[in-house]
Amino acid sequence: MTKTANMAATDSEAGDPLVGGDSVIRIECLHKFFGDNEVLCDINMQVKQKEVLCVIGPSGSGKSTLLRCIVFLEEYDRGRIYIEGKLLGFREAGGRLVRDSERNVSRCRRNVGMVFQQFNLWPHMTALGNVTEALVGVKRMPRAAANEIGSAVLTKVGLADKLDAYPSRLSGGQQQRVAIARALAMEPHVMLFDEPTSALDPELVGEVLQVMKQLANEGMTMVVVTHEMGFAAEVADRVIFMDFGQIVEEGTAADIFRVAQSSRLKQFLDTWRARNTNLPE
């Protein structure tokens, strides 16, 4: 058994997979190490259906690593992550947890879509080709049906006139909207956004945030790591503030931005307010 599997089992002997309920994601006692550096420490959280959860905090606080663990792009070391009631990444064997197969990992996370900081588009494919590639290659969908879905989701994100455009001919905001469309085409039950506007010029941020607001209004379950405090204050049902790999404070947007309890969160928000004018008082 691997060291990681041993650690995962040791910290989480209790707790059965979620049966029923409305939690899409449940995380219990999550720990993640890079060498001797613990980047996530005892994370416990749930994400409910149709909830928009924004994760804020300073750079290096573990926010992006948390998202990567939720889709098992990073293998966590202790604790458990459940996606729609199914344990992600590990399975029970003889009263212990062992690393699960890649097939089972893929099956567990198939209803989770993720949008990264970088757009990661295929430069040799059109916008439509980028969106439909997984539909054809992963879902084995006929090309005509994939093109129909691809056209629909690109229209949804405001790119109906860019189906045949290559990434080099698109602005950064348009490329990120293609990336969002690509994730939406797979019909996810929850969308993860890892600082989706951080690579954009300031004037292009709004068009991406508008698409995300539209998804939130339509009831898409979303976990958004963001430095856009105005977006979090306006759209989030709940906000988590992280620092040094831990959840320091969580609550509604009003709780976090108006009646922050911890001195660290107050300091963080004061710093942002000093640099921005669009934060709630």
Side-chain angles (χ1 to χ4, degrees):
M1 186 184 299
T2 65
K3 176 184 177 182
T4 298
N6 272 308
M7 295 173 72
T10 299
D11 212 45
S12 301
E13 293 296 339
D16 296 323
L18 182 67
V19 177
D22 61 350
S23 291
V24 180
I25 298 169
R26 191 177 82 207
I27 299 176
E28 300 176 350
C29 305
L30 183 70
H31 294 254
K32 171 64 183 175
F33 294 83
F34 290 129
D36 294 329
N37 182 27
E38 187 173 23
V39 294
L40 294 176
C41 179
D42 198 26
I43 301 295
N44 293 274
M45 57 179 274
Q46 293 192 52
V47 183
K48 295 184 177 181
Q49 290 181 3
K50 299 185 178 181
E51 181 178 34
V52 178
L53 172 66
C54 284
V55 183
I56 64 173
S59 297
S61 59
K63 307 183 300 298
S64 294
T65 301
L66 175 62
L67 285 198
R68 292 178 65 84
C69 285
I70 291 174
V71 288
F72 214 62
L73 293 176
E74 294 287 353
E75 184 173 327
Y76 54 95
D77 296 303
R78 297 177 186 165
R80 298 190 180 198
I81 297 177
Y82 296 101
I83 305 296
E84 297 184 316
K86 298 177 182 178
L87 180 61
L88 172 68
F90 299 92
R91 59 181 176 83
E92 297 277 2
R96 306 286 289 176
L97 292 182
V98 298
R99 178 69 157 78
D100 211 346
S101 67
E102 288 301 324
R103 174 176 293 185
N104 286 341
V105 170
S106 295
R107 184 180 295 115
C108 185
R109 67 186 177 196
R110 64 186 172 187
N111 291 324
V112 181
M114 186 161 179
V115 177
F116 299 88
Q117 298 177 34
Q118 302 299 324
F119 321 127
N120 299 322
L121 301 182
W122 295 104
H124 63 287
M125 292 183 180
T126 64
L128 182 61
N130 270 279
V131 171
T132 60
E133 180 67 14
L135 294 175
V136 175
V138 177
K139 287 195 169 184
R140 306 298 181 189
M141 188 175 291
R143 177 65 65 179
N147 285 344
E148 184 175 347
I149 291 174
S151 297
V153 292
L154 283 167
T155 298
K156 182 183 183 69
V157 300
L159 295 174
D161 60 337
K162 301 294 184 181
L163 303 185
D164 297 324
Y166 288 89
S168 62
R169 297 293 184 179
L170 299 174
S171 69
Q174 290 170 334
Q175 290 185 59
Q176 190 62 292
R177 284 187 281 157
V178 172
I180 294 173
R182 178 177 56 192
L184 289 175
M186 301 298 283
E187 299 183 315
H189 296 173
V190 56
M191 288 277 286
L192 310 181
F193 293 86
D194 185 10
E195 300 187 18
T197 61
S198 64
L200 300 178
D201 292 334
E203 63 268 24
L204 301 177
V205 168
E207 64 189 64
V208 173
L209 294 182
Q210 187 57 45
V211 170
M212 294 170 64
K213 291 176 185 178
Q214 177 186 344
L215 294 176
N217 290 336
E218 292 173 355
M220 173 62 74
T221 306
M222 298 164 59
V223 182
V224 185
V225 167
T226 184
H227 287 297
E228 299 292 338
M229 298 297 113
F231 172 84
E234 178 183 352
V235 178
D237 298 300
R238 196 157 49 92
V239 178
I240 285 176
F241 172 66
M242 292 184 64
D243 195 25
F244 291 105
Q246 296 179 302
I247 295 177
V248 177
E249 195 166 336
E250 63 179 296
T252 66
D255 290 339
I256 292 296
F257 291 112
R258 293 188 173 87
V259 289
Q261 299 298 311
S262 67
S263 59
R264 181 66 186 95
L265 175 55
K266 291 176 182 177
Q267 179 187 35
F268 175 79
L269 293 177
D270 285 345
T271 300
W272 272 98
R273 288 190 176 101
R275 298 175 180 175
N276 299 270
T277 58
N278 63 337
L279 298 183
E281 295 295 335

